[in-house]
């Protein structure tokens, strides 16, 4: 699914920057991020809280204003949509939709399920009869009972609310859906239902996903390609199997090894924890942002910032070690190193 | 369910009953009142004490106090209703704009709100009345334009918290216009607290009307207004106390009713309020 | 760790024993039975996990041990919680207060809301020493700084004077652990201690709990929904569903051979890290259809019946009871998954 469509990506983000605060001392929430998403492709965007992954997603749908770089959707510049006419804005809005993390705050408590789906269709000028048909179709696809259409958000369970959120995102027939931690707040049994639903809908409607998550196991399950973010930058990007079987950046390795695996047989193997915490974007470290926590830090890392380079046809890494030698044999961090 | 939780709130029950009774009294005033409050004046019956034909006695002009008190409910309630509708419309609109648009609009509106809050309503209303002259319509205007600051503040605070919620982000990304996000998405969510403020505000407005009428600025004689009745009974407090007592009780009970209703609504709309079920024998 | 193979081990090795605990809550819709007859035993020095989804009653069970159920709405209606030879439910408020934070401590999911935002973190640790050990101010400060160092805070002398909002989420959880462990409790109850934390921080906190556990010879109860955490550090598992325990057993047994359909479904519902990369294909996750039953209107039979792949007629009419099937191993199901004669899936 990934390789064939690389020539004509649906979404192309290049050198995206979102800086907050004073121009003299900006907080660089997103600092030069580039990636593309093909038609029908899922890009997993992973990282710890505060790494800028959600801000990146919000910038793509223009909920956060980007301060630099460009976002192309089907070859069209959408970095800022203020200059577009209302009709053009509406057309664009219908193409890219979001599914949010919190199934409770993402639905308007004063609107019934029917209104939640009907209003956007109405805004986009659909006739009442067509709207009703479309709503029935949507409810059927996401597995909700049409008889419940008059119910309000609080009458649904968390999983059902997330289905409503997905139906709302699907309502305008988008090409790209940004899933911002869309399954993170759900119980395990419900999470499986929603993940399966997302996969089914992708196949049926040919959707592309930007799947933003901190849960690497879920991302591995869903994504075709994975980009790892750290402090506003992408530090590694590759096909999912590359990232999970041969991670090249020390941070990706650390991230993978700190996940507790639900199998007690693996307990003998030492879990590798990295020391410290992600630094504040208010005061990013010099050189490579990861160097204070890096187990294989070199003198060069403290002064010179590595750039994201291809080490392989489809594998990009931002690390002095990887770019110097294609094949790296990185040391392993010691267990139990603390801040 | 809903009914059950209404019964569980004593304030709501009690206040609601009072308000409903006062409203009924106002609506059915011509039927309930034994005499016409204005034209049935008979100086022969001047200042009769309560009892006999005149249950609440008569005033200096020989008019039945009971009939005047009953008709007075119309004035008081219309003051409460009209001023609160005006206040709510102004407060909610300004609060929505301040909270949602932010920046310049927020500074401007909050500055205005703070000025409004720093001048006592009665002084402000007096100033307007002084400019417009006494009269019921002018009183509506004076009270309706001066008491929106709390509604505005509450609305703005609610908008600021709702603005960050995902449902508003979703609405934006679905292409809702700014106005429809403000009025169709956010506004329904703030009407609960606004209703509470309006109910409590009604009580305040009724008191203010009484005060302004007492000062001779409200409804002009011979219109039967509770405050106006108190005003004209001022000099006769010891000679004919019923002239003060009955309108006084009417004001007291109505204001109490609105206040309890407001408190009750606040409890009812508070999601944290506990349900009616009781557990026996807590250990 | 040594484990005794004798079922129903004697009280000497037992850290805490919960017997037939029932907890009810008052709601607008009626009395909600949040915990319905929960029993389990925790041995000295053991780490026990109560696993379940939201609404399973796992957190309520933990709060009951500390007796932190809000009296206005909740009530422990029956049961026994035996700790140190006495039933905690019979203790008066004074004795309870002495025990809380001293012999039994608790840490919560959200460290920001469990710390006092207006108090320096050092003072919050020091307060525990002053209350329970009756030491003076200077000594409390010395002990607090030592404790903050022990939980891995860098520059504890500086952190001592900082407020909760000035430190990160991971550090706040460390401070909570410092407070909880200040008086070297015999039992630590951790309610989703790592759920709000990032994965790299989660690893650090789990390691810390493990290290401090062996150092202080304490027993730990972890409330979690994360089977990864369970597999990583837990000895003994109690699986809860709809207010009841549905399966108990040692972690290894639970993962290798789950006996309750719910436990099995729970294990299979999470994506396995590395599986898709290894097999190059996406195996469909096993869904548990439907949602948890409404505790206000529980079905007559097994609470899991409607979502169960193996349900038979009897499941909808009669509620199964807890069957002991091995050493400290029990299951609440009419059709134990390991029994050979049951291959008729629905």
């Amino acid at each position: 699914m990934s390789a064939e469509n690389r020539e004509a990506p649906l979404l192309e983000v290049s050198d995206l920057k979102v800086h907050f605060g004073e121009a003299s001392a900006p907080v660089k929430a997103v600092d030069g991020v580039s990636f593309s998403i093909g038609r029908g492709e899922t890009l997993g965007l992973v990282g710890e809280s505060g790494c800028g992954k959600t801000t990146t997603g919000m910038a793509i749908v223009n909920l956060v204003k980007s301060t630099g770089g460009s976002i192309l959707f089907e070859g069209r510049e959408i970095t800022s949509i203020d200059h577009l006419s209302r009709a053009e804005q509406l057309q664009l809005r219908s193409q890219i939709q979001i599914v949010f993390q919190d199934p409770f705050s993402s639905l308007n408590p004063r609107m019934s399920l029917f209104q939640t789906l009907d209003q956007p269709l109405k805004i986009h000028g659909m006739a009442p009869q067509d709207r009703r048909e479309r709503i029935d179709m949507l409810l059927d696809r996401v597995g909700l009972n049409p008889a419940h259409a008059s119910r309000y958000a609080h009458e649904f369970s968390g999983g059902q609310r997330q289905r409503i959120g997905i139906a709302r995102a699907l309502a305008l027939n988008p090409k790209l859906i940004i899933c911002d931690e869309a399954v993170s707040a759900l119980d395990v049994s419900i999470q499986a239902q929603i993940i399966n639903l997302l996969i089914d809908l992708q196949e049926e409607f040919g959707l592309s996903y930007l799947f933003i998550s901190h849960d690497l196991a879920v991302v591995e399950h869903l994504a075709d390609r994975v980009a790892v973010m750290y402090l506003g930058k992408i530090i590694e990007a590759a096909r999912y199997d590359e990232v999970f079987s041969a991670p090249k950046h020390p941070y990706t390795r650390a991230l993978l090894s700190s996940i507790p695996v639900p199998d007690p047989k693996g307990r003998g193997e030492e879990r590798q924890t990295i020391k410290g915490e992600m630094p504040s974007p208010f005061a990013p470290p010099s050189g490579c942002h990861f160097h204070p926590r890096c187990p294989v830090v070199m003198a060069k890392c403290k002064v010179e910032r590595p750039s994201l380079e291809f080490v392989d046809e489809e594998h990009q890494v931002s690390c002095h070690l990887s770019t110097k030698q294609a094949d790296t044999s990185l040391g392993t961090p010691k267990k139990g190193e603390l801040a | 369910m809903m009914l059950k939780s209404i019964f569980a709130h004593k304030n709501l029950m009690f206040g609601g009953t009072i308000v409903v009774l006062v409203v009924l009294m106002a609506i059915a005033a011509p039927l309930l009142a034994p005499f016409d409050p204005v034209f049935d004046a008979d100086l022969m019956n001047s200042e009769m004490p309560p009892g006999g034909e005149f249950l609440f006695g008569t005033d200096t002009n020989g008019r039945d106090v009971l009939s005047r008190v009953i008709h007075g409910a119309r004035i008081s309630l219309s003051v409460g209703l009209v001023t609160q509708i005006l206040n709510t419309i102004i407060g909610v609109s300004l609060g929505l704009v301040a909270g949602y648009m932010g920046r310049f609009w927020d500074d401007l509106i909050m500055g205005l709100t703070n000025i409004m809050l720093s001048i006592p309503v009665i002084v402000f209303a007096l100033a307007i009345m002084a400019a417009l002259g006494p009269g019921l319509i002018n009183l509506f205007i004076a009270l309706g334009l001066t008491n929106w600051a709390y509604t505005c503040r509450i609305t703005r605070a609610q908008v600021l918290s709702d603005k960050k919620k995902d449902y508003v982000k979703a609405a934006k990304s679905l292409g809702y216009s700014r106005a429809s996000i403000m009025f169709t998405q956010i506004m329904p969510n703030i009407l609960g607290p606004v209703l509470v403020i309006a109910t409590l505000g009604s009580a305040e407005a009724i008191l203010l009307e009484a005060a302004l009428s007492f000062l001779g600025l409200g409804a002009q004689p011979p219109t039967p207004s509770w405050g106006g009745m108190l005003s004209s009974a001022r000099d006769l407090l010891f000679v004919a106390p019923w002239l003060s007592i009955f309108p006084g009780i009417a004001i007291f009970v109505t204001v109490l009713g609105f206040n309890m209703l407001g408190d009750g609504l606040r409890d009812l709309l508070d999601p944290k309020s506990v349900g009616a079920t009781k557990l026996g024998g807590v250990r | 760790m040594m484990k005794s193979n004798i079922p129903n081990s004697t009280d000497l090795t037992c850290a805490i024993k919960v017997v037939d605990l029932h907890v009810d809550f008052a709601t607008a819709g009626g009395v909600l039975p949040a915990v319905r007859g929960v029993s389990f035993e925790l041995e000295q020095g053991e780490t026990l996990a109560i696993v379940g989804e939201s609404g399973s009653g796992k957190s309520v069970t933990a709060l009951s041990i500390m007796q932190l159920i809000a009296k206005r709405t909740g009530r422990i209606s029956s049961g026994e919680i035996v700790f140190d030879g006495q039933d905690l439910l019979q203790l008066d408020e004074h004795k309870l207060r002495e025990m809380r934070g001293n012999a039994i401590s608790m840490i919560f999911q959200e460290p920001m809301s469990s710390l006092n935002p207006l108090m320096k973190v050092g003072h919050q640790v020091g307060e525990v020493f002053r209350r329970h050990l009756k030491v003076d101010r200077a000594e409390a400060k010395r002990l607090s700084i030592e404790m903050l160092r022990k939980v891995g805070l860098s520059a504890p002398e500086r952190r001592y004077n900082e407020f909760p909002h000035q430190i990160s989420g991971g550090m706040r959880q460390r401070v909570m652990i410092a407070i909880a462990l200040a008086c070297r409790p015999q039992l630590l109850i951790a309610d989703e201690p790592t759920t709000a934390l990032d994965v790299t921080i989660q690893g650090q906190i789990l390691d810390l709990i493990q290290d401090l556990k062996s150092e202080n010879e304490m027993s730990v109860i972890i409330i979690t929904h994360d089977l990864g955490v369970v597999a990583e550090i837990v000895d003994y598992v109690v699986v809860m569903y709809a207010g009841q325990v549905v399966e108990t057993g040692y972690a290894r047994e639970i993962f290798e051979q789950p006996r309750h359909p719910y436990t099995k479904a729970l294990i299979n519902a999470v994506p396995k890290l590395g599986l898709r990369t290894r097999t190059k294909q996406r195996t469909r996750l096993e869904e548990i259809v439907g949602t948890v039953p409404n505790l206000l209107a529980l079905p007559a039979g097994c609470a899991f019946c409607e979502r169960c792949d193996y349900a038979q007629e009897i499941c909808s009419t009669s509620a199964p009871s807890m069957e002991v099937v091995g050493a400290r191993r029990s299951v609440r199901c009419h059709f134990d998954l390991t029994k050979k004669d049951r291959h008729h899936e629905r």
Side-chain angles (χ1 to χ4, degrees):
Chain A
M1 223 182 262
S2 60
E4 305 87 69
N5 288 328
R6 288 296 289 280
E7 295 81 37
L10 183 70
L11 180 81
E12 200 161 12
V13 174
S14 37
D15 201 28
L16 180 70
K17 284 181 180 147
V18 182
H19 294 182
F20 297 111
E22 305 281 315
S24 53
V27 178
K28 300 173 176 175
V30 178
D31 196 21
V33 160
S34 307
F35 58 84
S36 63
I37 302 177
R39 284 163 212 277
E41 190 187 41
T42 302
L43 175 72
L45 194 57
V46 302
E48 296 177 278
S49 47
C51 71
K53 56 189 193 298
T54 291
T55 310
T56 304
M58 294 300 133
I60 293 170
V61 279
N62 242 281
L63 288 176
V64 172
K65 284 217 168 11
S66 47
T67 48
S70 82
I71 305 169
L72 295 180
F73 183 77
E74 293 185 314
R76 238 172 89 206
E77 178 72 44
I78 60 160
T79 320
S80 167
I81 61 166
D82 292 342
H83 62 278
L84 298 178
S85 72
R86 172 101 181 114
E88 282 175 314
Q89 283 190 16
L90 278 181
Q91 198 269 339
L92 187 68
R93 289 293 194 193
S94 70
Q95 302 287 301
I96 310 177
Q97 282 298 307
I98 328 179
V99 176
F100 295 93
Q101 168 171 13
D102 181 2
F104 288 87
S105 87
S106 65
L107 297 180
N108 190 335
R110 301 280 165 185
M111 275 164 75
S112 68
L113 166 53
F114 182 81
Q115 287 171 309
T116 303
L117 299 178
D118 187 60
Q119 284 198 0
L121 295 174
K122 196 169 157 187
I123 287 175
H124 287 261
M126 197 183 257
Q129 184 54 39
D130 298 342
R131 298 208 297 264
R132 189 148 303 147
E133 266 172 37
R134 177 132 187 100
I135 290 169
D136 280 344
M137 186 282 283
L138 287 168
L139 292 181
D140 177 62
R141 288 299 188 283
V142 300
L144 287 166
N145 185 347
H148 296 167
S150 60
R151 292 193 181 175
Y152 285 83
H154 67 88
E155 295 174 82
F156 293 98
S157 68
Q160 286 171 319
R161 286 163 151 262
Q162 202 60 324
R163 287 174 194 270
I164 298 174
I166 292 172
R168 179 179 58 193
L170 279 179
L172 303 174
N173 214 357
K175 290 180 178 141
L176 172 66
I177 294 185
I178 291 164
C179 302
D180 185 15
E181 301 276 10
V183 300
S184 305
L186 304 173
D187 268 322
V188 173
S189 68
I190 307 300
Q191 181 177 314
Q193 295 175 7
I194 299 298
I195 291 173
N196 286 343
L197 176 66
L198 288 172
I199 294 171
D200 293 344
L201 293 172
Q202 177 164 48
E203 279 163 13
E204 182 171 352
F205 297 106
L207 298 168
S208 301
Y209 290 138
L210 175 63
F211 195 85
I212 300 168
S213 179
H214 70 277
D215 188 331
L216 288 142
V218 170
V219 168
E220 185 200 6
H221 188 77
L222 276 165
D224 300 305
R225 281 185 305 125
V226 177
V228 184
M229 278 186 81
Y230 190 81
L231 215 63
K233 288 180 181 300
I234 290 179
I235 53 105
E236 180 159 10
R239 273 173 46 143
Y240 79 93
D241 46 350
E242 284 277 308
V243 170
F244 285 88
S245 65
K248 294 222 165 24
H249 197 286
Y251 176 65
T252 315
R253 290 174 181 226
L255 211 52
L256 281 170
S257 76
S258 31
I259 304 169
V261 177
D263 183 2
K265 273 180 286 188
R267 203 188 289 184
E269 303 158 22
E270 288 282 83
R271 180 182 54 236
Q272 298 167 348
T273 48
I274 41 169
K275 58 189 174 180
E277 304 183 358
M278 189 157 72
S280 151
F282 288 98
S286 62
C288 170
H289 285 339
F290 186 60
H291 88 254
R293 303 175 76 186
C294 186
V296 289
V297 61
M298 306 176 296
K300 187 183 181 190
C301 305
K302 293 175 184 165
V303 284
E304 197 182 317
R305 185 166 304 163
S307 55
L308 190 64
E309 311 247 348
F310 280 97
V311 291
D312 193 331
E313 200 181 331
E314 284 185 74
H315 200 145
Q316 289 169 285
V317 186
S318 157
C319 178
H320 289 309
L321 272 176
S322 312
T323 40
K324 205 160 59 183
Q325 54 219 82
D327 184 56
T328 51
S329 51
L330 300 179
T332 49
K334 289 191 184 70
K335 178 185 160 71
E337 281 180 319
L338 299 172
Chain B
M1 245 305 282
M2 193 66 182
L3 214 62
K4 216 166 127 190
S5 46
I6 289 176
F7 279 116
H9 294 92
K10 292 195 190 71
N11 274 342
L12 196 68
M13 277 298 293
F14 204 74
T17 310
I18 293 175
V19 170
V20 167
L21 287 179
V22 175
V23 169
L24 287 178
M25 186 166 92
I27 293 171
L31 302 174
L32 290 175
F35 298 97
D36 186 281
V38 179
F39 297 110
D40 282 348
D42 183 355
L43 290 176
M44 296 302 287
N45 296 332
S46 167
E47 289 172 28
M48 299 252 290
E53 197 186 353
F54 306 104
L55 209 55
F56 285 7
T58 60
D59 67 5
T60 318
N61 295 324
R63 291 172 299 202
D64 180 31
V65 172
L66 175 62
S67 302
R68 286 180 67 79
V69 167
I70 291 174
H71 277 270
R74 294 186 150 190
I75 306 288
S76 286
L77 284 181
S78 58
V79 167
L81 193 71
V82 173
T83 59
Q84 289 319 300
I85 288 177
L86 279 171
N87 280 331
T88 304
I89 291 175
I90 298 172
V92 169
S93 310
L94 290 180
L96 278 169
V97 171
Y100 193 75
M101 309 283 277
R103 294 164 193 270
F104 167 74
W105 292 104
D106 196 18
D107 292 346
L108 180 76
I109 291 170
M110 285 334 280
L112 203 60
T113 307
N114 287 335
I115 292 172
M116 297 299 289
L117 281 172
S118 60
I119 303 171
V121 173
I122 185 117
V123 174
F124 215 131
L126 271 175
I128 296 182
M129 297 298 287
L132 298 177
L136 198 56
I137 303 294
N138 293 345
L139 186 99
F140 285 155
I141 296 172
L143 292 181
L145 296 183
T146 49
N147 212 1
W148 47 262
Y150 285 108
T151 312
C152 178
R153 287 207 140 188
I154 297 278
T155 305
R156 174 180 171 271
Q158 196 78 29
V159 172
L160 286 181
S161 92
D162 267 43
K163 187 164 87 160
K164 293 195 206 91
K165 289 198 178 150
D166 289 342
Y167 79 83
V168 173
K169 290 187 198 158
K172 272 189 210 170
S173 69
L174 285 161
Y176 284 65
S177 65
R178 256 201 287 231
S180 67
I181 289 178
M182 276 194 266
F183 291 99
T184 71
Q185 295 290 305
I186 299 181
M187 201 176 74
N189 286 294
I190 54 180
L191 288 184
V194 165
L195 183 68
V196 173
I197 297 175
T199 313
L200 296 173
S202 303
E204 202 187 336
I206 290 169
L207 273 181
L208 283 170
E209 182 268 337
L212 288 171
S213 296
F214 187 80
L215 297 175
L217 293 169
Q220 291 305 295
T223 317
S225 124
W226 293 341
M229 288 166 76
L230 280 181
S231 168
S232 48
R234 196 166 30 186
D235 301 332
L236 304 167
L237 192 60
F238 296 103
V239 186
W242 60 89
L243 291 183
S244 314
I245 289 172
F246 292 111
I249 290 176
I251 293 173
F252 168 75
V253 171
T254 310
V255 168
L256 181 76
F258 272 104
N259 276 326
M260 290 180 80
L261 180 66
D263 279 349
L265 282 175
R266 178 162 47 205
D267 292 345
L268 185 74
L269 295 169
D270 181 4
K272 275 166 270 166
S273 68
V274 187
T277 331
K278 289 271 183 331
L279 285 170
V282 171
R283 43 153 281 121
Chain C
M1 184 183 319
M2 288 299 294
K3 281 168 197 132
S4 91
N5 284 325
I6 315 151
N8 297 327
S9 50
T10 60
D11 279 355
L12 268 179
T13 61
C14 180
I16 193 163
K17 190 162 107 181
V18 175
V19 185
D20 199 27
L21 182 73
H22 284 82
V23 185
D24 295 331
F25 282 93
T27 66
V31 175
L32 183 137
V35 172
R36 308 184 290 140
V38 163
S39 307
F40 60 84
E41 260 175 53
L42 169 64
E43 291 190 356
Q44 292 291 359
E46 199 172 47
T47 302
L48 176 146
I50 304 181
V51 179
E53 298 180 280
S54 40
S56 64
K58 57 186 195 302
S59 286
V60 177
T61 304
L63 289 172
S64 304
I65 296 173
M66 293 296 273
Q67 293 186 49
L68 292 172
I69 303 282
K71 290 254 161 68
R72 210 157 71 98
T73 52
R75 175 176 59 125
I76 300 172
S77 50
S78 68
E80 266 176 57
I81 298 173
V82 184
F83 176 78
D84 217 8
Q86 49 188 345
D87 184 358
L88 296 183
L89 299 182
Q90 305 301 330
L91 294 183
D92 57 34
E93 189 57 35
H94 177 73
K95 285 229 176 80
L96 273 176
R97 225 174 296 148
E98 218 161 69
M99 181 208 74
R100 279 186 208 136
N102 193 10
I104 306 182
S105 281
M106 189 156 181
I107 53 178
F108 298 91
Q109 173 174 348
E110 218 344 292
M112 189 63 208
S113 53
S114 14
L115 288 171
N116 182 344
L118 297 178
M119 214 170 147
K120 289 174 179 171
V121 296
H123 290 180
Q124 303 194 41
V125 183
E127 206 183 38
V128 186
F129 287 114
R130 295 186 57 195
R131 188 184 306 143
H132 290 294
L133 301 183
K134 312 273 184 268
V135 296
D136 64 22
R137 224 172 259 272
E139 177 69 359
K141 179 168 183 180
R142 194 187 62 77
L143 289 169
S144 309
I145 289 176
E146 190 184 313
M147 198 66 216
L148 289 175
R149 181 174 294 120
K150 199 177 276 179
V151 296
L153 277 186
S154 54
E157 292 84 0
R158 207 178 73 217
R159 300 279 176 246
Y160 183 90
N161 285 318
E162 287 184 333
F163 289 94
H165 70 268
Q166 292 173 301
I167 59 180
S168 72
M171 284 198 249
R172 283 197 284 263
Q173 196 58 289
R174 286 176 196 273
V175 172
M176 274 308 295
I177 292 174
I179 292 172
L181 300 189
C183 291
R184 296 176 160 263
Q186 291 158 261
L187 175 64
L188 173 72
I189 302 172
D191 188 358
E192 303 268 10
T194 58
T195 307
L197 303 176
D198 276 317
V199 62
T200 59
I201 312 298
Q202 164 171 300
Q204 296 171 1
I205 297 291
L206 290 181
D207 284 346
L208 178 66
I209 292 177
Q210 283 291 81
D211 292 348
L212 293 172
K213 185 192 120 179
S214 46
E215 193 180 315
N216 290 356
E217 291 171 355
M218 61 177 183
S219 315
V220 179
I221 295 180
I222 287 192
I223 315 295
T224 186
H225 68 279
D226 187 338
L227 293 168
V229 171
V230 174
E232 197 83 21
I233 69 167
V234 169
D235 304 308
Y236 188 71
V237 182
V238 173
V239 183
M240 282 188 72
Y241 187 77
Q244 288 180 318
V245 176
V246 294
E247 184 166 2
T248 64
Y250 289 109
R252 191 170 286 251
E253 295 172 334
I254 293 271
F255 280 97
E256 273 172 16
Q257 202 169 50
R259 286 171 180 256
H260 196 284
Y262 176 65
T263 314
K264 184 183 173 214
L266 214 51
I267 293 170
N268 290 338
V270 282
K272 307 274 175 298
L273 189 71
L275 180 68
R276 184 172 168 221
T277 300
R278 264 199 316 278
T279 58
K280 300 282 177 229
Q281 59 184 349
R282 194 146 59 187
T283 26
R284 200 172 168 81
L285 295 178
E286 255 181 57
E287 291 178 19
I288 308 179
V289 293
T291 50
V292 280
N294 180 359
L295 287 170
L296 291 170
L298 281 163
C302 172
F304 188 58
C305 172
E306 279 184 17
R307 308 177 74 187
C308 184
D309 285 341
Y310 305 91
Q312 306 283 315
E313 255 181 70
I314 184 176
C315 299
S316 58
T317 53
S318 113
S321 54
M322 206 69 179
E323 302 279 343
V324 178
V325 292
R328 295 186 77 198
R329 182 123 174 79
S330 49
V331 62
R332 186 191 295 276
C333 182
H334 290 301
F335 305 97
D336 183 338
L337 280 180
T338 55
K339 284 181 189 159
K340 287 273 180 272
D341 59 327
R342 45 161 316 167
H343 286 300
H344 27 251
E345 291 193 17
R346 188 160 62 178

